Amino acid sequence: MDLKILPLAVTMMVGPQILSAIIFVTSPRAVRASLAFLLGIAAGTTVGVAVMRVIAALLGQAVDTGSPSDKGSVGHIIEYVLVGLLVFVAVKNWVGRRTAEPPKWLESLMTAGPGKAFTVGLLLILLMPSDLVVMLTVAVHLQQHDAGLGAALPFIGLTVLIAALPLLGRLLFGRKAERTMPKVREWMNTHSWLISIIACGIFIALILSGD
């Protein structure tokens, strides 16, 4: 895996994903729910990248995605289209920032058990458009370098590690983290639009820097 692709793991968890992780560590069954959530994230990312890798391979058979050094290759054109979509999403979030609200389902996570936590982690990866775009980008990168799923393991591992940061913070800092996490959760709830814009900005910068 090219090291340039690893930072895309950050964008995998920016938004409802990391907010869910924070909610789980402030819930009554924090450790069990968080571990199940991380397992769901790992499973979802692995399955998602594997499926996108197949799609990228099929695309590569139909159309030559080209060399990573070829700026006009189909692979790079796909990335440019993704950049355009991300700019649109960022502008949309900015325009609607005054009325933006976090998803209603986030409120139910405080009482979620391990089973629901696993399902949330899995679906957040497999159904979140931003994560699907990231995994498609990783898959196209693998296709261009003729690499298999194994080359994506560092990306998958880093995604899970980022998701685990709230739990690690709670385990390492104890009561201090317990007091801080709810405040972080509330700030993210009221600034979800800003988090989405930041995620789009990071993704765009990473794609363009790779060119």
Side-chain angles (χ1 to χ4, degrees):
M1 170 64 71
D2 189 336
L3 293 179
K4 291 180 180 179
I5 217 72
L6 284 180
L8 287 176
V10 175
T11 61
M12 289 285 288
M13 293 306 300
V14 175
Q17 300 89 328
I18 194 65
L19 181 53
S20 297
I22 293 173
I23 291 175
F24 283 128
V25 299
T26 58
S27 67
R29 291 176 283 184
V31 175
R32 291 178 60 194
S34 295
L35 289 176
F37 175 72
L38 294 177
L39 185 58
I41 292 291
T45 307
T46 302
V47 171
V49 172
V51 171
M52 290 300 182
R53 181 65 183 87
V54 172
I55 293 175
L58 294 174
L59 178 63
Q61 292 175 4
V63 181
D64 185 7
T65 54
S67 167
S69 61
D70 181 5
K71 305 303 181 184
S73 68
V74 173
H76 281 293
I77 291 174
I78 292 174
E79 291 180 345
Y80 299 147
V81 171
L82 293 178
V83 167
L85 291 174
L86 289 167
V87 170
F88 171 78
V89 171
V91 172
K92 182 179 179 182
N93 276 284
W94 172 258
V95 172
R97 66 190 183 281
R98 298 187 185 280
T99 57
E101 294 182 357
K104 298 296 184 182
W105 54 264
L106 284 173
E107 299 175 1
S108 67
L109 300 188
M110 284 297 296
T111 57
K116 183 173 181 178
F118 172 83
T119 302
V120 168
L122 184 70
L123 297 182
L124 272 177
I125 297 297
L126 295 179
L127 298 182
M128 191 65 64
S130 59
D131 285 348
L132 294 175
V133 169
V134 172
M135 291 186 290
L136 177 59
T137 302
V138 171
V140 170
H141 182 85
L142 294 174
Q143 174 66 21
Q144 286 186 316
H145 289 78
D146 195 26
L149 182 61
L153 290 179
F155 166 78
I156 296 171
L158 184 56
T159 298
V160 176
L161 177 60
I162 294 172
L165 290 179
L167 177 60
L168 294 175
R170 174 173 176 140
L171 295 176
L172 289 174
F173 299 105
R175 293 187 179 277
K176 185 176 181 180
E178 291 179 19
R179 292 192 299 268
T180 303
M181 287 296 180
K183 297 178 182 178
V184 174
R185 182 186 66 207
E186 290 303 319
W187 184 90
M188 294 183 73
N189 264 326
T190 56
H191 293 78
S192 57
W193 60 271
L194 177 60
I195 295 170
S196 296
I197 291 175
I198 292 173
C200 290
I202 293 173
F203 197 3
I204 291 170
L206 290 171
I207 291 177
L208 296 181
S209 65
D211 295 334

